[in-house]
Amino acid sequence: MAEETQRIESEDELYKKMFRRRKLLEEQKADDKQRQNELDETASWYEPAREARQNELGYIDSLIDDWFLRQYEKNPYYRYRSRNGSVSKRSITTWKHDDAKLLENIPDKYIDVKPKVKWGDYKKTLDITDDGKVIDKETGELVDGVTASKSIKVTIKSPEGED
């Protein structure tokens, strides 16, 4: 509301402005209460519905993971695509390393100035055995302080914009 600049000239006008101010605050408080009630009401149906959907999505994803891994055992190149989405795999290597032990044994070219292992470069020189132990490709020696495990991560993608 665009009011021209006014001044209060009497206590009577002051009384009226104070009354109007009190009413505006009461209206705001009532609107805030109504908004909070509506938010609470919305949350009361939204949260349980959302949680139920998330639980069902988790269940369906686990069924898809199980199906995919069984197909992967038969055919390591198996992949699925449809208009409803795709299912594929990505190999993941999880490395666990103890920098303190590595600093004792690895060549200086893999050590930062503030002694820190250049892990990204160094791990390229390593091979993983079937039991998870790690061998240096250059020396053929077992690397102390490093183990690795391989796993498969199943990726489920929905059609564009539906995630």
Side-chain angles (χ1 to χ4, degrees), residues 2-77:
E3 293 181 4
E4 55 186 79
T5 306
Q6 298 178 358
R7 295 184 99 175
I8 298 174
E9 300 292 338
S10 68
E11 283 188 1
D12 188 44
E13 287 179 29
L14 176 61
Y15 176 84
K16 289 177 183 177
K17 293 299 181 192
M18 293 294 289
F19 177 79
R20 180 67 184 141
R21 181 181 186 281
R22 182 174 56 101
K23 289 299 182 185
L24 288 170
L25 290 171
E26 288 173 1
E27 287 176 23
Q28 187 62 52
K29 188 174 182 179
D31 284 352
D32 288 348
K33 185 177 180 184
Q34 180 181 352
R35 178 178 180 266
Q36 189 58 50
N37 288 341
E38 289 174 2
L39 288 173
D40 291 344
E41 185 179 316
T42 300
S44 71
W45 65 262
Y46 173 78
E47 288 302 326
R50 179 185 172 284
E51 188 174 321
R53 276 190 300 277
Q54 291 302 315
N55 289 340
E56 188 171 354
L57 278 169
Y59 175 70
I60 290 171
D61 286 354
S62 70
L63 292 176
I64 292 170
D65 286 356
D66 177 59
W67 163 261
F68 182 85
L69 292 173
R70 284 185 287 133
Q71 297 308 306
Y72 177 76
E73 287 175 6
K74 297 176 192 172
N75 174 7
Y77 301 104

Side-chain angles (χ1 to χ4, degrees), residues 120-136:
D121 294 335
Y122 183 59
K123 76 177 178 183
K124 294 174 187 172
T125 67
L126 304 176
D127 274 332
I128 305 167
T129 63
D130 291 336
D131 62 353
K133 294 181 181 172
V134 177
I135 297 174
D136 189 317

Side-chain angles (χ1 to χ4, degrees), residues 98-155:
D98 180 355
D99 282 355
K101 284 186 180 179
L102 286 173
L103 287 171
E104 298 170 7
N105 302 318
I106 66 172
D108 290 342
K109 65 182 182 180
Y110 298 112
I111 300 175
D112 279 339
V113 175
K114 48 178 166 169
K116 179 183 170 196
V117 174
K118 295 180 183 176
W119 180 246
D121 294 335
Y122 183 59
K123 76 177 178 183
K124 294 174 187 172
T125 67
L126 304 176
D127 274 332
I128 305 167
T129 63
D130 291 336
D131 62 353
K133 294 181 181 172
V134 177
I135 297 174
D136 189 317
K137 290 180 187 175
E138 295 172 8
T139 64
E141 294 179 8
L142 193 63
V143 179
D144 191 28
V146 181
T147 58
S149 62
K150 290 189 177 244
S151 60
I152 300 294
K153 178 182 178 195
V154 176
T155 305

